[in-house]
Structures are given as structure tokens and as C-alpha cells.
Amino acid sequence: MQSHAAMNVRVGIATPSQRSTAHLRSSASAAVRRVCRAPVKVQCTLMQNGAADGQLNSKWPKGIPPQMGGHLMPSGQYAPLSNSSGCATGPPHLYQYHDTETNTSVRVFQNQQAASGGLAMMIAEASAKAIAERGIFTIAITGKESTQALTQLSLAVKASDFANWHVFFAGEQCVPFSSLESNYKWAQDFFLSKIPIPPTQVHTIEEGTDPNMAAQLYEAKLRYMPQMARKVGPFPVFDIVLLEVGERGEVASLYPNKPTLMNVESCVVPVLDAPVEPRQRVSFSLPLLNAAAHVMVVALGVHKRDTVSRALECQALPGAMPVQMLRPTNGELSYLLDADSASGLSTGAWTDWKKWPRSDLPKK
């Protein structure tokens, strides 16, 4: 596989609350593309006190009884009474996919060096466009692996453009900035110290504060900075949010099935009990991530193979795989992989309707 050549497919991976579209396109340049469409809305009519619309149920010719259970089972025990209020009448799932369409691309590069070069070119193009249109470029970054991929940034971006950059952190640990656990330190070592961004335009959390205070102060900065005036609803819009995905499917510091993943009002959330050290962190909220013009997920190396396969090919309930909840409202989502991290994907089956029965693939 060449670094900038891959099979070009538009594909949607169906999840329990999502309907997807997939159709094959051939091209020698781009990559694998995916469009996620709105969730399927199921209408269910209970047949109580008589059949619905004149239709009889073979098991309950007079309609489904208002209360189920209470019958004698083969075990000799009585079945418990059901407390269900009926189909689609219970509380909504705690975690929800939003119902807008998302344009998603998967780009597979030959190796990590090629991926770093491709990422640098994508950022350079976005930077030039944003500066030409608004005179400013905003980017949010996260951890060690994604910042390591920025080593070729100075070769792709014009040096004069960096004066218009504003850099933020989508996730950060509540540790001293000198700590090896600090995302700021990794960013400083790998690329901030090598490019001429004014230090006042690198926006970090408040060092030495607890997660609650750090999140509040960072949120206030994001909401009221003139440079972040562009918004989707109440959420500021970043030109690029650069993320990596953890082995649990976490992004930024949003972990599976945690209350922070449900927060739909805040820009920044405190993380008090991360499943790994350091446990105290600060993270962009899911709505803030999804407000970005372009969300990029970097996953490189063979150790990311299983995570990438689960993220792109496994159907997960909302909240079980946070990376699958990345669906920019008015923007793009890109996965940047190398041959090793993509080696577990079965892209040849992405156009097989039997593999994806919830998709709109032609049934042939």
C-alpha cells in the first residue's frame, strides 16, 4: 500500500441506534470514507384492549394483555409480573448519538513517518484556509502519540502563519507541567518548542488547580475569548481537534459509560476518577469536540490494531466506545492510520450487505 493511495469507499457502519449508508467508489487517491446517517426511529403500537388497526396477533387474538407474567412455568414457579410500560415508552438511553449526518474518512498511510507527513499537510491546508478567511487558526491537541505525529509540522506550515495560531488542549492531566504525564510537556517537547507560536497563544489549564476549578477556568476562557467567537449553538468551533484513541475507546479524557460523557451543557468537564493514572484530569466535553470543523483521530502502530478494528467495525451501544460518538455536527471526522494499525480492518467486506444488514447497501 502506498502512503497516499488506498481503496476509496464510502461506508457506514451500523450500530444499534444508527442507520448507515455504504456504496463503493473506486479512486487511486483518497481513502476510505464513511457517512453516518440518522438513527432509525422505530414506531411501535401496542395492541391493548383489542388489535391495532384491525390486525390480530396469533398469540393474543384479543390483543396483548395489559400485564404480562404470573403464569405457571415448567419449573413449577410462577413467572414474575412484568413492570414494562410498553415498547418505546421507557426512559431514553443515557448516552445518545446525535441525529445529524457525518462525513467520515479513513486514511491509511504506509508507515508512521508517512502518516506524520500526511497529517502535517492536512493541518497546513486547514491553517492556510482559516487564516485567509478569518486571520486566525485554532487547534486543540491531546496526548503523547498525537503530538509525536506533529514532528513534520514545521516543514508544511509557513513560518509566518504560526503567529496566527492558537493552541488548546482537549485533554490534560492535573499534574505539574514538568511531569511526563502532562500533555503540555509532550507538546512542548515535540513541536511547540520547534515552531514560532507566541507563548501567550498556547492556552493551557491552570497549573496546580483541582479538576473542578481547572475545568471552570478553562471553560470561561473558551467561552469568552474573542478568538473563539465562532460557535455551533453555545459551543466554540475549533478549526481542528486532534485526538488519539485509547484502548478502551476513550478520546480526550472521556471514558466509556462515565457521567462526563453524558454532559451536553459544558465545554470542559472535570474528570475525578479516570480508570488509569493520573486519575484527576480535565477534558473537552463531547459536544465541544463535535462542534469542531474537523476532528482528526490519530491511531498509529500495531498496538492500536484491535482498538481501530473495534472503533470502525464493531457495533457498540452508545457510551461503550466513546470514539464512536465523535460525529461533528457541521464538520468532518478523519481517522489517520498506518498499515499496522489498519491491518485488522476488513475493508473488503465493507460493501457486503450481508455483513451490514442495517445499511443501505444494494441487496444482491
Side-chain angles (χ1 to χ4, degrees):
M1 183 183 295
Q2 298 299 317
S3 60
H4 293 284
M7 178 177 63
N8 202 25
V9 179
R10 292 180 66 85
V11 61
I13 299 175
T15 64
S17 66
Q18 176 185 15
R19 190 179 180 205
S20 308
T21 299
H23 54 86
L24 179 64
R25 291 186 179 179
S26 59
S27 172
S29 57
V32 180
R33 292 193 172 274
R34 189 179 82 173
V35 174
C36 301
R37 290 196 172 177
V40 174
K41 295 182 179 179
V42 180
Q43 299 295 328
C44 179
T45 303
L46 292 178
M47 297 197 306
Q48 294 183 349
N49 302 321
D53 298 328
Q55 299 297 317
L56 297 179
N57 186 295
S58 60
K59 189 171 183 179
W60 296 288
K62 296 183 179 179
I64 299 176
Q67 192 175 60
M68 303 292 289
H71 59 278
L72 187 66
M73 298 187 294
S75 64
Q77 296 180 331
Y78 285 94
L81 292 175
S82 170
N83 60 3
S84 172
S85 58
C87 178
T89 62
H93 196 278
L94 293 175
Y95 308 94
Q96 294 290 327
Y97 293 123
H98 69 68
D99 59 0
T100 56
E101 190 173 278
T102 300
N103 185 19
T104 304
S105 65
V106 178
R107 301 168 186 256
V108 180
F109 298 88
Q110 186 175 10
N111 51 46
Q112 295 191 28
Q113 183 177 4
S116 179
L119 174 62
M121 290 300 298
M122 293 173 68
I123 294 176
E125 291 174 6
S127 170
K129 182 175 182 290
I131 292 171
E133 292 177 352
R134 306 187 328 274
I136 186 175
F137 175 71
T138 56
I139 182 171
I141 59 178
T142 47
K144 174 182 177 181
E145 294 185 14
S146 57
T147 51
Q148 280 182 320
L150 296 174
T151 53
Q152 299 186 45
L153 203 56
S154 60
L155 302 176
V157 180
K158 291 194 304 182
S160 59
D161 281 354
F162 286 119
N164 301 298
W165 277 41
H166 284 262
V167 178
F168 296 79
F169 291 82
E172 180 59 288
Q173 284 69 257
C174 293
V175 296
F177 289 160
S178 59
S179 169
L180 290 176
E181 302 288 351
S182 169
N183 287 339
Y184 170 78
K185 177 174 174 55
W186 287 107
Q188 184 68 22
D189 289 349
F190 279 109
F191 85 99
L192 288 177
S193 60
K194 299 174 173 59
I195 56 179
I197 298 179
T200 56
Q201 292 172 202
V202 177
H203 307 282
T204 64
I205 65 170
E206 196 71 28
E207 187 178 16
T209 55
D210 64 81
N212 287 302
M213 181 59 69
Q216 291 177 27
L217 293 174
Y218 212 35
E219 169 127 6
K221 179 181 292 188
L222 281 172
R223 286 196 183 273
Y224 300 111
M225 279 183 63
Q227 295 86 353
M228 301 304 300
R230 192 170 51 138
K231 289 181 169 59
V232 170
F235 300 101
V237 175
F238 284 87
D239 292 302
I240 287 179
V241 171
L242 184 64
L243 302 170
E244 55 193 60
V245 56
E247 62 181 15
R248 299 168 180 82
E250 70 269 20
V251 288
S253 286
L254 299 176
Y255 290 90
N257 301 318
K258 291 289 187 179
T260 48
L261 197 58
M262 293 186 290
N263 191 312
V264 295
E265 297 178 353
S266 303
C267 289
V268 185
V269 294
V271 179
L272 306 177
D273 58 347
V276 294
E277 295 290 348
R279 298 192 180 277
Q280 294 192 334
R281 304 169 179 233
V282 168
S283 176
F284 279 10
S285 67
L286 186 63
L288 181 59
L289 296 177
N290 281 332
H294 199 158
V295 178
M296 299 181 180
V297 180
V298 178
L300 306 176
V302 69
H303 65 291
K304 294 292 184 181
R305 169 181 166 161
D306 291 343
T307 302
V308 167
S309 296
R310 288 191 296 122
L312 293 175
E313 294 187 341
C314 292
Q315 300 176 352
L317 286 172
M321 195 81 176
V323 68
Q324 291 185 350
M325 301 185 75
L326 292 174
R327 300 185 178 193
T329 310
N330 296 307
E332 300 177 59
L333 172 63
S334 295
Y335 283 82
L336 280 78
L337 315 175
D338 62 2
D340 288 334
S341 62
S343 60
L345 295 176
S346 303
T347 56
W350 285 10
T351 55
D352 183 354
W353 69 269
K354 293 180 180 179
K355 299 288 186 181
W356 312 109
R358 289 189 177 94
S359 75
D360 288 338
L361 284 167
K363 306 298 190 288
K364 60 181 180 179

